[in-house]
Amino acid sequence: MSLRVLVVEDDREIRAAVQATLAVEGFEVQTAVSLSEASALLRHDLPDVLVLDLGLPDGDGVDLVREVRQQHALPILIVSARHQEAQKIALLDAGADDYLVKPFSVAELLARIRVALRHRGTTLAPAVTVHSLEDLHIDLQTRAVQAKGAAVHLTPTEFNLLARLVRSAGRVVTHRQLLRDVWGPEYIEHTHYLRLYMGQLRAKIEQDPAEPRHLLTETGVGYRLATLMPS
Ligand code: CA
């Protein structure tokens, strides 16, 4: 049985390109051109993945994300224009899985859909506890971290921050989510903690902390633990 994707996009060309590519990859694709149409479709027939454009004619995607997330675990990917940063963060905090900034390649969309499906698909399976990419090896169960060819000693907070990123490897995690999950809900505004600890982690893990290849910055949004090396 093929996986079903609902693509909500009012731009006809983008919609057609995404639909064609996903269909070639074996997905069954449904489309909607507005939030109200998407909402109606979602009520009677739930897809496996939702791809949601931010710039839609009839309003704010945040409400739709909240509504879907209250009842369902399906992956939600946001597609946005560059100037929609603040809205993008609100959507991620409301439960969207990841986002892509236009113009994006359909190959990138496919890669993000696969990552999101892998994370969501394993909700009943054991959580991700091991991460390995090039010179970085992390085992959350034994708390062992290796980088640059040697064992790395991390403080408890550094480890918790890294562990949070491992559990969402390949996906962006917002500043707010990191602060809430590592420090606690009363710390969600303390972004300077995050900058400080991310700097420490990078110094221990990255070959060149100024040009990180593992702990990636998503400007204005959050951080992402890389699962692929940039080509
Ligand atoms: Ca649009």
Side-chain angles (χ1 to χ4, degrees):
M1 203 182 73
S2 53
L3 288 169
R4 296 181 321 133
V5 184
L6 173 59
V7 178
V8 188
E9 170 66 80
D10 61 326
D11 182 307
R12 190 151 49 92
E13 279 181 33
I14 297 177
R15 196 170 62 233
V18 169
Q19 179 168 25
T21 309
L22 292 177
V24 167
E25 293 294 318
F27 290 95
E28 190 184 310
V29 188
Q30 259 191 319
T31 59
V33 299
S34 64
L35 285 173
S36 54
E37 194 186 351
S39 187
L41 282 170
L42 286 164
R43 263 196 294 276
H44 84 79
D45 200 6
L46 199 70
D48 299 297
V49 182
L50 173 61
V51 177
L52 178 64
D53 173 37
L54 271 191
L56 290 164
D58 61 342
D60 199 334
V62 173
D63 295 335
L64 182 67
V65 170
R66 276 210 195 94
E67 187 187 311
V68 172
R69 189 51 82 227
Q70 269 166 15
Q71 298 169 41
H72 309 290
L74 81 162
I76 304 173
L77 279 114
I78 302 301
V79 174
S80 74
R82 203 160 285 281
H83 63 275
Q84 292 165 320
E85 200 119 287
Q87 213 183 344
K88 199 162 72 186
I89 296 166
L91 282 149
L92 290 166
D93 284 331
D97 288 76
D98 208 343
Y99 70 90
L100 284 157
V101 177
K102 290 179 184 175
F104 57 86
S105 71
V106 275
E108 199 173 347
L109 174 64
L110 274 171
R112 294 292 172 80
I113 286 178
R114 291 200 181 102
V115 168
L117 277 169
R118 196 164 65 230
H119 281 284
R120 290 286 172 190
T122 56
T123 44
L124 298 175
V128 178
T129 57
V130 174
H131 173 83
S132 198
L133 181 65
E134 291 198 340
D135 61 336
L136 179 62
H137 306 281
I138 303 163
D139 186 330
L140 296 185
Q141 277 176 331
T142 61
R143 299 176 81 88
V145 179
Q146 272 211 315
K148 300 186 271 192
V152 177
H153 177 74
L154 299 178
T155 67
T157 303
E158 289 167 358
F159 180 82
N160 290 342
L161 177 56
L162 186 61
R164 178 64 186 79
L165 289 165
V166 167
R167 288 189 202 102
S168 295
R171 289 191 298 169
V172 66
V173 188
T174 66
H175 297 134
R176 223 181 152 80
Q177 290 167 338
L178 288 168
L179 287 160
R180 185 195 59 207
D181 295 347
V182 177
W183 281 272
E186 64 274 35
Y187 290 92
I188 53 174
E189 305 297 333
H190 296 229
T191 48
H192 57 286
Y193 284 20
L194 203 46
R195 273 198 304 276
L196 177 74
Y197 278 89
M198 192 56 68
Q200 291 172 192
L201 266 183
R202 280 176 171 157
K204 292 182 179 182
I205 282 168
E206 300 282 357
Q207 297 281 359
D208 178 1
E211 294 281 338
R213 291 165 62 79
H214 294 288
L215 298 165
L216 309 179
T217 295
E218 294 282 333
T219 307
V221 177
Y223 296 95
R224 182 191 303 272
L225 180 64
T227 46
L228 288 172
M229 274 295 137
S231 42

